[in-house]
Amino acid sequence: MRSAPVPNGVRRWPVHPEPGPGEALTSWLGRLAGLYRLSVEQLLTHNLGPASAQLDVVRLRDADLDYQVPAAVLRALAARTGVAVGRLRRMTISGCVPWLADTLNPADGWQAFSAYVRQDSVLLAPGRAGYHVVNRWVPWLPARSRPWRTARRVCPTCPADRGILLLAALPLMISCAEHGCRLERVHEVRRAHRHGEPMTPGPVPDAVAALDRLTFEGIATGSVTLPSRTVHVGEWLRLLRTLLDEVSMVASRAGPGSAAMLHQVWDAVDLPFRAGLNLWRPYERLSPSRQEAMLQAAATAVQLAADGRIIPGVHVVPGKFWSNFADLH
C-alpha cells in the first residue's frame, strides 16, 4: 500500500500501527496514542504542528472525530504515520460518502429515501412498496438532531486490543464476521476483561452470520464477492436496505402473494410479524431490538430463497436485484 509523503521538516513518528480493516479513526488514534503513553487529546493538540491549532482542547472535547475531521489534521496525521489521507478519511462517517449514503444532509428527506430504498426491489414486485413521506432522513443513521451512534460494539472473542469498527456503531451487523458471535457493547466487554472474566460469546443464527460476513467484507474491502459476481459495497448496502424495508412492509401493501411470503419469512424467524410493528417507520427510527429483528428477517429471507423455500423471482423482474441474493448459500 502506498504511504503518504513526508513534507519537508516533518518527522514521521517512529511507531505507527496500521489501521485495521474498517476501524474507526478514534479507535486507531487511541491505539496510537497508547503506544506513547498519551491520551488522544494530548496526541492531537500537541504533536501535529500547525494542524493542532485546529483541534484546541475545547474544540476537541466537543468534536466527533469519527464523523468528520479537518482536512489539515488528516494531512498532518498522514505525514506522521505514512497512512494515506484517503484511507484516514474513510475511517470517518463523512469519508464513507457516497457509498454509505449519497448525502449526509437529512433535509433531503423523502427524495433521498426514495432513491436509496425504493428505487429497486428484492422481495416485492417493483413499485409495490409505494411511497412514504420521510422527512429528515439519512440511510443507516439517525438525523443529526441526535447522536449518530447507537452504541460502540466489539466482538468478545477478538483480542482486547483490536480496534473498534467504525460502522459497528450503526445497525448494519449483529455478529463478528470472524467468529460468528454477537457483537457486544464495548464497555461491557472491556470491563469483563479487566476483571479476568471474559464474556461468553453469544450465538447468532447461521443465516445472520452469513449475511454479516458479506457486509463486513464490503466495509473492509470495498466490494462483496457473490458466487455470480462481485458488487460494490455501495450497491450491497442499498440491496440490504431495500430488503430491510420490504420485510417491514404491511401485508396489505405487499399484495396477496408477497404478503404470504413475508409471513413465511417471519414464521421462520419465530418472531411476531414485522417484529410487532404497528405503524410503519423507517428502519433508522426503530428501536435497536426491532432493528435486530429486521436484520434477522432479512437474513432468513436470503436463506429461504437459497433453499428454494420462497421464490421471489415470481414477483420481481428477472435478473434484477434478487439475482444478487439468490445464490449466497
Side-chain angles (χ1 to χ4, degrees):
M1 183 175 294
R2 187 175 180 180
S3 297
V6 182
N8 291 334
V10 175
R11 296 182 61 186
R12 184 158 290 171
W13 292 335
V15 182
H16 38 79
E18 282 282 306
E23 186 174 7
L25 182 66
T26 57
S27 170
W28 176 70
L29 289 173
R31 295 194 294 117
L32 182 59
L35 294 173
Y36 296 101
R37 298 187 178 182
L38 299 172
S39 67
V40 171
E41 182 178 291
Q42 291 168 329
L43 181 76
L44 296 182
T45 57
H46 300 294
N47 295 280
L48 294 182
S52 287
Q54 296 196 25
L55 280 176
D56 59 66
V57 175
V58 174
R59 290 185 61 189
L60 182 59
R61 288 171 181 167
D62 294 335
D64 186 344
L65 298 180
D66 283 339
Y67 193 83
Q68 190 171 30
V69 182
V73 173
L74 291 178
R75 289 193 296 269
L77 284 170
R80 287 158 176 79
T81 64
V83 181
V85 169
R87 185 176 181 189
L88 293 175
R89 184 177 293 112
R90 289 191 295 274
M91 296 166 70
T92 68
I93 292 295
S94 61
C96 295
V97 174
W99 59 265
L100 177 68
D102 297 317
T103 174
L104 295 178
N105 182 2
D108 288 346
W110 71 269
Q111 291 180 324
F113 178 82
S114 179
Y116 197 100
V117 178
R118 298 280 173 84
Q119 183 170 302
D120 288 285
S121 59
V122 178
L123 291 175
L124 307 183
R128 172 59 72 173
Y131 298 93
H132 281 101
V133 177
V134 181
N135 296 317
R136 296 192 61 78
W137 179 85
V138 176
W140 307 111
L141 287 81
R144 286 290 288 162
S145 59
R146 58 193 177 101
W148 62 269
R149 299 180 199 272
T150 52
R152 290 178 182 266
R153 297 179 299 151
V154 294
C155 171
T157 302
C158 288
D161 59 352
R162 183 171 292 186
I164 300 171
L165 291 177
L166 172 68
L167 299 186
L170 299 182
L172 281 165
M173 299 181 298
I174 299 173
S175 64
C176 170
E178 180 179 349
H179 297 106
C181 60
R182 181 177 297 276
L183 296 173
E184 306 287 358
R185 291 176 180 267
V186 64
H187 68 273
E188 295 176 357
V189 174
R190 288 178 174 173
R191 182 172 61 233
H193 278 287
R194 282 197 303 270
H195 288 86
E197 299 176 352
M199 295 180 67
T200 301
V204 298
D206 290 344
V208 169
L211 196 64
D212 285 348
R213 282 194 296 270
L214 292 168
T215 299
F216 175 76
E217 180 190 0
I219 293 168
T221 69
S223 60
V224 178
T225 306
L226 303 179
S228 58
R229 67 187 183 102
T230 298
V231 300
H232 187 274
V233 62
E235 182 179 357
W236 173 259
L237 292 179
R238 286 157 178 79
L239 282 167
L240 180 58
R241 185 60 186 82
T242 296
L243 182 55
L244 287 166
D245 182 59
E246 291 178 330
V247 297
S248 75
M249 201 61 57
V250 295
S252 58
R253 186 180 285 256
S258 294
M261 180 172 55
L262 291 178
H263 275 286
Q264 185 178 349
V265 169
W266 283 103
D267 287 344
V269 181
D270 197 23
L271 288 172
F273 185 64
R274 304 174 65 227
L277 190 66
N278 291 320
L279 296 176
W280 180 90
R281 300 178 68 194
Y283 178 74
E284 293 76 12
R285 298 177 190 171
L286 299 179
S287 66
S289 61
R290 280 208 168 110
Q291 288 175 335
E292 181 171 321
M294 296 297 174
L295 277 169
Q296 289 188 47
T300 300
V302 173
Q303 185 176 56
L304 290 175
D307 293 343
R309 295 167 61 188
I310 61 174
I311 309 176
V314 172
H315 308 285
V316 181
V317 176
K320 200 62 174 171
F321 269 18
W322 183 257
S323 64
N324 294 317
F325 278 110
D327 54 0
L328 294 183
H329 293 273

